[in-house]
Amino acid sequence: VPGMNSGLNPADPTLVAAFRSALLHQGAIALIIVAFLWLLWATARTWRSGAGNGSGPAVRGWWPGRPGNGSGNGSEPAGRRLLRTGFGLIWILDGLLQAQPKMAGGLASQVIEPSAVTSPAWVQHLVNWGGTVWSYHPITAGAASVWIQVGIGGWLIIAAHGPWSRLAGLASVAWGLVVWVFGESFGGIFAPGLSWLTGAPGAVLLYAVAGALIALPESAWRSPRLGRLLLGGIGLFFIGMAVLQAWPGRGYWQGTIGGKPGTLAGMVQNMSSTPQPHVVSSLLADFGSFAASNGFAVNLVVVIVLAGMGAIFLSGRPALVRYAVWFGIVFGLADWVLVQDLGFLGGLGTDPNSMIPMMLLFSAGYLALTPAPLEAPAAQAEPSAPAEADWRQRLRPKALGGTFATASARSVGAVAALAVILVGAAPMAAAAANRTADPILALAIAGNSAALDVPAPGFQLTDQEGQPVSLASLRGKVVLMTFLDPVCTTDCPIIGAEFKEAGVLLGSADKDVELVAVVANPTYRAVEFTQAFDREEGLSTVPNWLYLTGSLGQLSQVWRQYGITVENLPAGSMSAHNDLAVVIDRSGHIREEVGADPGPGTASTQSSFSVLLSQYARQALASPVSS
Amino acid sequence: MTRRAVLAGLLAVLVAGCGSQAASVAPPSIVVRTAPLATSLVTTQGAWAIAVMGGSASSDNNFWQLFVRPAGASRWSLVTPPAVADNGGLVAADGTGGTSLLVGFRPTQGLAFSPLAMSSDTGKNWTPGLLDAALADVPDALAVGASGRVLALLHDGSIEMAPTPATAAAGQWSRLTTLGALAASAPGRSCGLVALNAVSFGHNDIPMAAGSCLRRGVAGVFAESGGTWQAAGPALPAGFGGDQVQVLGLATPVLANTRGGDVALLLAGRDLLAAWWDGTRWTVSAPVPVAGGITGSGFGSGGSLWVLLGGGQAETIAGAGAPWRALPPAPAGTVTLAPGAGGGYDALAVSGSVLTVWRLASADWAKVQVIHVPIVYGSSS
């Protein structure tokens, strides 16, 4: 219906194309950086071998993956390796999921907001802040998430030892916490219905835990103490989840409540109805029916399993833990398929949910509980330099070059992974500092504007002060003009606010721009209504704001000339009109015609329209005045 | 000072603190009840009914509709004033001498003020008007006096007045009083006024306002004269002395030859009461218990009024001194009743965009008309 909100479509071709373009652009930059590093490294190695490797004191160990850097030696403990590679792969998978075409436009509205909706107000407030940052710059944020997550994943996989490997763990902690808070609303731990089955305490919190474990010195992994602590923590968590699962009144004991599916059956059945492969949806539907028919038994099994596994993990007895781990993997896989819908199926999935990370954690705990015997330290190929001279020598260009040349392929790969992260993070940081939204949102809602150069039809109308105004009287100024219903309840107040903000964005150039609206209501068109609208929207004090009206004949002529259709709809609807804005240059020529439908009218879309209008006004100001 | 003296002092402070806490009394409070916007009224042009139709309010697909059954006619017509989205609700008042109808749109979504519309040809044509403020969410938020003065009760409890319908249309209103000022006045203080729920013009065309009182047994009806507000009753029977009283509706039906005086609908505790002012004294009806809440109410001619209660219970009363009459249970979906000829009633039932009119024939309701309302779903979202 013309003149009504249309909403921001995440699958909008403009948004999708811009997202794809940003990904390709940043991907190309990442590739160039990786290729450059590789080339530089290969060249340095060639040069160094040609120079006879006589670069002075050894400075090995500064780069990751080298022995002798104080982070342990020998092969990497199995538990740590499992976590590092497992979570590295998951981060890469998450990064690839972030590259889904609808992610840029849809994450804020389809992932962030729904995850927060049942949380307390303070959580919603915090998450809303993060969602707003995303929604102001969806393309930049979307692309940044892809490269940051792919970079962290690659970094974890490539850097096996040393401080760079531990730094990768810390990066996983930092980004994981950001995603856990803003993307998962703290994993829903403050919302009702929390359950281990559905993903408590939030998959990405487990990424952060794994990152923290990876960031520990490797020596910590060589003692069974870490395994006992990790399994003890997981055991306590499982017991807590068992208690929560058994807690009466949460709807998990009932297969059906009042003829409707109980909590678990309802969740599963909802999942099964989302678009996904038929095999999976039918599996979910079957399990949903089973859970509805046998709610008590299903919950009893879950409670017993969680409590049992928790107790075994707490015991720290390797023989028992081993069986519990295998059982947990089987049980977790079943839950992952039948309850969590593989995490990323059904909707705009961003990660595989909590089961795989959970399995990795307790498996790593078991491996850490039974560490392999310490291997003999690798022989130092070259003697170490005296410690006090070490840092000075490292910073010398020649030494740096030598260090780089002697670095392993893993080391260079780790640096390349960090560069990939920066490729995404740097533009995101710059965008986050920008308080105005990306105009791509406005283009996605309104469609790309049509660049024109045609004379604007003249008019003779009356402003909100009752003074006559003609288009000719505005000659010499750029005119941003739209059509507003003064008693409109939806779009028009938003468009008025956008025009006002566009004037603010123009800064000093604002004095050469006239913000004009023409009444678009055949009934409520008297000056009193334009004045009331101005007061309502805070436009009364905007010096270059004109809200024009006239007789029905005058208005009808202007509407016709500018292609505006205005009609009164029946049965309590507002007067309908198409939303349109035109940019008229100082010579009285229309230079842009842009749909002014404000879409959902959020802070980000309003800001986006204001930015777009101000950009068009600046372009029109820059065009020469013709006689 | 010895340690013992200090301890004794502390003990005294503690005891005093406990004592004062024990002596404190929670301030009186009240949950303000107002009548729903679903209503009907009778003017010389005919009977008017207001009902909400369509879909859910949360998705802005609920639209308020105005229907008229012209005087002497038996069928209803849709006459909702055009050009303003009315999801926020419609409020109507009979115009000067009952010859016209003034309708106010309650603001909603991005609209902060209340456009008006006036018709003197049973809704065929409407003249726009403006109240540059938000009308209160009560059916008696607008009133037009015999002299043409217009009263508007605002959402914040203020009362605005326009000297004529023309000035009202031009948005030229002036502040008559505010809830705060009225509550601070002597009559306001004596009732503990906390909310204003209705405005009207009294017997001698004086502005009147009514609301909810904290003080038990006192009905908050006020009349303005010469810039001063005075308590205007009514005094309730002694049996209601322990109940908080809230005025849900106030009207002065202005109909040729049937002037019924001021009529008020009151909620005293859990009982509904009607009260009539004939210029010298109030007459109060017997009570009707309210069990399932009030879903609609309205005033008819000659001082009559009706209420629609939960579960389809419908009660009417013909005027001062008359008993309450229980109508047969209203048909499913009934949102408002409208007085008909000869003491009869029409029940207007809503299902989505379909309005079904039921007419009380002898002892039961008979379907007499179905109106399909062309609601434009999604037009306000």
Side-chain angles (χ1 to χ4, degrees):
Chain A
V1 177
M4 310 302 169
N5 272 336
S6 59
L8 183 62
N9 176 14
D12 180 89
T14 305
L15 282 180
V16 171
F19 183 44
R20 189 174 292 137
S21 170
L23 280 177
L24 288 174
H25 182 73
Q26 294 181 358
I29 293 174
L31 270 178
I32 289 169
I33 292 174
V34 170
F36 175 75
L37 276 172
W38 194 265
L39 207 64
L40 198 66
W41 178 66
T43 306
R45 284 176 75 87
T46 308
W47 172 80
R48 184 177 167 81
S49 61
N53 199 14
S55 61
V59 287
R60 301 174 68 173
W62 198 79
W63 289 90
R66 307 297 298 181
N69 54 17
S71 60
N73 47 29
S75 64
E76 183 185 18
R80 186 179 189 276
R81 185 165 58 241
L82 178 68
L83 283 190
R84 188 176 53 74
T85 51
F87 279 91
L89 288 171
I90 290 177
W91 271 125
I92 290 174
L93 172 65
D94 287 7
L96 296 177
L97 288 170
Q98 285 292 141
Q100 292 175 85
K102 289 195 279 187
M103 194 59 77
L107 187 112
S109 61
Q110 295 186 9
V111 177
I112 294 178
E113 284 177 20
S115 74
V117 77
T118 54
S119 294
W122 70 269
V123 173
Q124 292 186 25
H125 186 72
L126 186 67
V127 171
N128 184 52
W129 180 83
T132 301
V133 171
W134 182 289
S135 62
Y136 266 57
H137 310 283
I139 305 302
T140 313
S145 300
V146 171
W147 296 118
I148 289 172
Q149 293 180 182
V150 167
I152 291 173
W155 191 0
L156 279 170
I157 291 170
I158 292 166
H161 291 283
W164 280 66
S165 178
R166 293 171 63 189
L167 273 176
L170 289 180
S172 185
V173 172
W175 184 248
L177 289 176
V178 168
V179 177
W180 184 62
V181 171
F182 296 110
E184 293 188 342
S185 302
F186 295 91
I189 60 172
F190 300 110
L194 185 73
S195 169
W196 179 81
L197 294 173
T198 53
V204 192
L205 182 64
L206 305 181
Y207 298 17
V209 170
L213 292 166
I214 292 167
L216 292 173
E218 274 188 38
S219 56
W221 284 89
R222 301 196 185 282
S223 153
R225 188 162 174 264
L226 180 65
R228 278 198 299 273
L229 282 173
L230 176 56
L231 287 171
I234 295 173
L236 280 176
F237 169 71
F238 274 27
I239 289 170
M241 286 289 108
V243 171
L244 201 61
Q245 196 69 32
W247 203 266
R250 301 181 74 235
Y252 281 102
W253 288 109
Q254 291 86 15
T256 56
I257 301 170
K260 294 179 178 174
T263 306
L264 179 61
M267 286 178 182
V268 174
Q269 288 178 4
N270 282 342
M271 282 282 205
S272 70
S273 61
T274 55
Q276 59 191 304
H278 176 68
V279 178
V280 185
S281 68
S282 60
L283 260 178
L284 282 170
D286 290 346
F287 180 68
S289 303
F290 179 79
S293 309
N294 305 278
F296 186 87
V298 168
N299 202 47
L300 187 64
V301 168
V302 173
V303 170
I304 290 171
V305 167
L306 281 172
M309 284 175 59
I312 292 172
F313 286 159
L314 261 179
S315 77
R317 296 173 63 180
L320 284 174
V321 168
R322 185 181 175 199
Y323 289 112
V325 164
W326 281 113
F327 183 80
I329 289 172
V330 172
F331 191 76
L333 283 173
D335 181 82
W336 187 50
V337 175
L338 296 175
V339 178
Q340 299 194 349
D341 202 8
L342 280 68
F344 50 85
L345 293 182
L348 204 54
T350 55
D351 60 54
N353 210 338
S354 64
M355 276 307 143
I356 303 296
M358 183 58 76
M359 286 186 253
L360 285 173
L361 274 178
F362 62 63
S363 299
Y366 169 68
L367 291 172
L369 193 64
T370 54
L374 189 66
E375 290 176 15
Q380 291 283 58
E382 296 174 37
S384 294
E388 60 272 18
D390 204 27
W391 67 272
R392 291 191 199 92
Q393 291 189 19
R394 284 178 183 181
L395 292 177
R396 285 179 186 162
K398 193 173 178 181
L400 280 173
T403 304
F404 186 63
T406 57
S408 68
R410 279 177 177 270
S411 308
V412 179
V415 175
L418 181 59
V420 169
I421 293 173
L422 292 176
V423 163
M428 183 60 215
N434 186 349
R435 298 177 68 86
T436 56
D438 192 333
I440 191 79
L441 298 172
L443 290 173
I445 294 165
N448 283 311
S449 69
L452 302 167
D453 188 7
V454 295
F459 53 74
Q460 182 83 43
L461 296 167
T462 305
D463 72 8
Q464 63 268 43
E465 305 299 330
Q467 300 302 313
V469 174
S470 66
L471 182 60
S473 69
L474 303 176
R475 190 109 184 222
K477 286 191 168 187
V478 165
V479 176
L480 291 181
M481 191 168 102
T482 190
F483 297 83
L484 301 179
D485 173 2
V487 294
C488 163
T489 58
T490 54
D491 294 2
C492 302
I494 299 169
I495 297 170
E498 289 167 0
F499 266 59
K500 184 182 172 188
E501 182 60 23
V504 173
L505 291 174
L506 283 167
S508 59
D510 188 39
K511 67 181 190 306
D512 296 320
V513 177
E514 208 67 38
L515 308 170
V516 177
V518 175
V519 164
N521 187 314
T523 309
Y524 291 83
R525 54 184 164 72
V527 167
E528 291 79 23
F529 298 107
T530 59
Q531 290 173 340
F533 180 90
D534 287 357
R535 280 192 291 272
E536 178 182 86
E537 302 307 323
L539 289 157
S540 301
T541 54
V542 176
N544 56 341
W545 168 255
L546 293 171
Y547 197 175
L548 307 179
T549 190
S551 66
L552 188 55
Q554 286 175 309
L555 287 173
S556 297
Q557 186 181 7
V558 179
W559 297 338
R560 192 170 54 252
Q561 287 173 326
Y562 281 85
I564 303 297
T565 306
V566 183
E567 62 172 328
N568 282 342
L569 297 178
S573 289
M574 76 181 90
S575 182
H577 63 92
N578 45 331
D579 294 323
L580 183 74
V582 292
V583 183
I584 302 171
D585 67 15
R586 289 183 289 176
S587 306
H589 282 223
I590 296 176
R591 304 305 295 256
E592 299 280 352
E593 192 174 279
V594 57
D597 180 346
T602 59
S604 57
T605 58
Q606 284 193 52
S607 174
S608 178
F609 266 103
S610 301
V611 171
L612 188 68
L613 289 169
S614 64
Q615 285 181 355
Y616 285 150
R618 285 186 189 282
Q619 289 169 13
L621 280 170
S623 65
V625 183
S626 61
S627 55
Chain B
M1 188 180 283
T2 64
R3 191 179 296 171
R4 190 174 292 175
V6 172
L7 281 172
L10 282 173
L11 196 61
V13 169
L14 274 173
V15 169
C18 293
S20 64
Q21 192 172 356
S24 69
V25 177
S29 62
I30 187 170
V31 178
V32 174
R33 307 276 185 204
T34 56
L37 291 182
T39 188
S40 67
L41 66 163
V42 180
T43 71
T44 52
Q45 292 187 71
W48 307 81
I50 291 174
V52 66
M53 301 183 71
S56 72
S58 59
S59 57
D60 298 313
N61 268 329
N62 60 324
F63 294 88
W64 288 82
Q65 306 299 341
L66 177 67
F67 299 92
V68 66
R69 190 190 61 218
S74 62
R75 295 181 70 78
W76 291 84
S77 305
L78 176 70
V79 289
T80 307
V84 183
D86 66 6
N87 310 69
L90 291 177
V91 174
D94 53 346
T96 312
T99 57
S100 61
L101 190 80
L102 177 65
V103 176
F105 295 85
R106 289 207 64 254
T108 181
Q109 297 174 271
L111 181 64
F113 56 88
S114 286
L116 305 172
M118 184 173 274
S119 174
S120 53
D121 58 0
T122 60
K124 293 184 183 69
N125 293 286
W126 293 94
T127 305
L130 172 66
L131 173 65
D132 194 7
L135 270 172
D137 190 13
V138 292
D140 296 326
L142 279 175
V144 185
S147 65
R149 289 188 297 172
V150 187
L151 283 180
L153 175 62
L154 306 187
H155 190 62
D156 65 1
S158 304
I159 299 174
E160 302 255 310
M161 188 165 74
T164 65
T167 52
Q172 294 166 8
W173 296 77
S174 57
R175 179 66 48 92
L176 188 62
T177 190
T178 64
L179 172 62
L182 193 49
S185 68
R189 285 199 308 274
S190 70
C191 96
L193 183 68
V194 292
L196 285 174
N197 305 332
V199 290
S200 179
F201 280 96
H203 211 58
N204 298 315
D205 207 33
I206 56 171
M208 297 186 75
S212 302
C213 295
L214 277 177
R215 189 172 165 197
R216 296 177 189 278
V218 178
V221 180
F222 310 93
E224 192 265 0
S225 180
T228 305
W229 289 89
Q230 295 170 341
L236 299 186
F240 295 98
D243 293 323
Q244 288 176 320
V245 183
Q246 310 198 48
V247 182
L248 303 181
L250 186 67
T252 305
V254 182
L255 279 174
N257 307 321
T258 58
R259 190 177 181 91
D262 305 326
V263 190
L265 176 65
L266 305 102
L267 180 68
R270 299 177 65 83
D271 290 318
L272 274 177
L273 299 166
W276 297 265
W277 172 253
D278 63 4
T280 55
R281 67 186 181 90
W282 284 94
T283 304
V284 180
S285 74
V288 170
V290 179
I294 304 165
T295 59
S297 63
F299 297 96
S301 58
S304 67
L305 61 83
W306 60 267
V307 289
L308 196 57
L309 305 175
Q313 182 188 351
E315 300 279 347
T316 69
I317 193 162
W324 285 98
R325 179 167 70 111
L327 302 182
T334 297
V335 291
T336 185
L337 300 179
Y345 275 88
D346 284 353
L348 278 64
V350 168
S351 175
S353 61
V354 178
L355 179 90
T356 304
V357 181
W358 300 80
R359 189 154 293 158
L360 190 58
S362 61
D364 209 353
W365 299 96
K367 187 192 291 188
V368 294
Q369 189 180 358
V370 175
I371 299 175
H372 293 270
V373 176
I375 288 174
V376 184
Y377 289 104
S379 60
S380 283
S381 57

